[in-house]
């Protein structure tokens, strides 16, 4: 298994990964979660959302339980995180967005309430909109909005049907 990561010029990448033409190629072990349980995501306050339900939020004052996610172990996500729960009754392709940012927030898609269950991430740096497009099976998923290096910001977020593709979900980074 190889994860392809799009990143900004000058980004060093994690140890054990190769840089080739703007792509970071990592063996699966370099992209594994910590597995230590020290980054326990708190989903007790997760807000249930539905498709086509735009929302506004702010991670200021939220819990700061997670510092890394399995799909981005080389990034410092020690800012406050907000968690949303999405239940899909049947398989569907989705596009999840996070925009209207005033600071560097990142978007994570999780298969369970656990930072080690990260399926996809959009960590574009700065105030760039974060977008995850993928296909998902029926079931419950979690979306995490987290502040990179302690960042806090108001935001707008939404999950809409369409745009996904078969195969492993993408990871995108411009850091």
């Amino acid at each position: 298994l190889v994860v392809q990561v799009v990143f900004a010029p000058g980004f060093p990448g994690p140890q054990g990964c190769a840089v080739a033409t703007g792509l970071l190629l990592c063996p699966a072990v370099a992209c594994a979660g910590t597995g230590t349980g020290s980054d326990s995501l708190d989903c007790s306050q997760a807000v249930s959302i539905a498709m086509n339900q735009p929302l506004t939020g702010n991670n200021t004052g939220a819990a700061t339980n997670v510092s890394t996610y399995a799909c981005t172990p080389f990034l410092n996500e020690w800012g406050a995180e907000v968690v949303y729960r999405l239940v899909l009754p049947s398989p569907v392709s989705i596009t999840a967005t996070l925009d209207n940012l005033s600071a560097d927030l990142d978007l994570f898609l999780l298969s369970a309430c656990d930072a080690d269950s990260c399926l996809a991430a959009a960590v574009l740096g700065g105030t760039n909109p974060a977008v995850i497009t993928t296909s998902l099976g029926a079931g419950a998923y979690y979306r995490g909005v987290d502040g990179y290096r302690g960042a806090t910001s108001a935001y707008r977020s939404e999950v809409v049907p369409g745009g996904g593709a078969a195969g492993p979900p993408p990871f995108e980074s411009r850091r």
Side-chain angles (χ1 to χ4, degrees):
L1 173 66
V2 173
V3 175
Q4 292 188 351
V5 180
V6 180
F7 64 98
F11 176 72
Q15 186 175 12
C17 299
V19 176
T21 320
L23 293 178
L24 183 64
L25 304 174
C26 305
V29 69
C31 298
T34 60
T36 64
S38 62
D39 288 345
S40 299
L41 194 62
D42 180 7
C43 295
S44 64
Q45 302 297 315
V47 175
S48 291
I49 57 166
M51 296 279 264
N52 297 310
Q53 178 187 344
L55 60 92
T56 58
N58 194 316
N59 72 326
T60 302
T64 56
N65 296 319
V66 175
S67 59
T68 59
Y69 290 81
C71 53
T72 59
F74 47 90
L75 295 180
N76 297 318
E77 298 292 341
W78 46 265
E81 64 266 356
V82 178
V83 181
Y84 298 94
R85 185 171 189 261
L86 174 67
V87 177
L88 301 175
S90 59
V92 66
S93 295
I94 63 139
T95 298
T97 59
L98 178 69
D99 55 23
N100 294 347
L101 306 172
S102 62
D104 190 353
L105 300 186
D106 297 329
L107 180 63
F108 297 90
L109 178 63
L110 311 167
S111 62
C113 181
D114 182 350
D116 284 339
S117 69
C118 188
L119 296 173
V123 292
L124 301 180
T127 59
N128 293 302
V131 178
I132 294 173
T133 302
T134 192
S135 294
L136 298 171
Y141 296 88
Y142 292 86
R143 276 189 314 151
V145 176
D146 208 330
Y148 177 68
R149 292 189 173 178
T152 58
S153 173
Y155 56 84
R156 188 190 78 80
S157 188
E158 185 172 20
V159 177
V160 297
F171 169 81
E172 184 174 10
S173 174
R174 291 199 184 131
R175 286 210 167 80

